[in-house]
Amino acid sequence: MQTLAELAGEPDGVADWDEEQDIASTRLLLTSNGGMVNYCVSPDVKSAELAIVFEGDIDPVHYGTALDRLLMRRLER
């Protein structure tokens, strides 16, 4: 597994990201990559939530809702 920072090629943290976001790029662990959307877990979100990262925005969502979205995307293709 890798962090969002590692995915960006900056394992010590993405400078612009870490200055602007509430959750550091080194604390977002990728669980799934849905193309332009990254599904991450982090100790900085509630235990029942995933952090959905899209174009630099972090949207904490309940696991069930996130899983439904991910599964429906695969059916729509």
Side-chain angles (χ1 to χ4, degrees):
M1 297 186 97
Q2 70 183 150
T3 64
L4 192 63
E6 292 169 334
L7 178 67
E10 299 183 40
D12 295 328
V14 180
D16 292 340
W17 175 280
D18 291 349
E19 293 170 0
E20 297 177 14
Q21 296 295 335
D22 294 332
I23 303 173
S25 58
T26 56
R27 294 180 60 85
L28 288 164
L29 186 63
L30 293 171
T31 59
S32 176
N33 183 329
M36 297 285 296
V37 178
N38 294 301
Y39 294 82
C40 305
V41 293
S42 173
D44 299 324
V45 296
K46 294 178 184 175
S47 62
E49 293 181 339
L50 281 175
I52 297 178
V53 180
F54 177 70
E55 294 183 352
D57 293 325
I58 302 172
D59 183 24
V61 177
H62 189 272
Y63 279 117
T65 302
L67 182 59
D68 286 346
R69 286 185 195 171
L70 182 62
L71 292 174
M72 291 306 295
R73 280 181 32 112
R74 304 239 167 134
L75 291 174
E76 293 170 356
R77 291 183 185 177

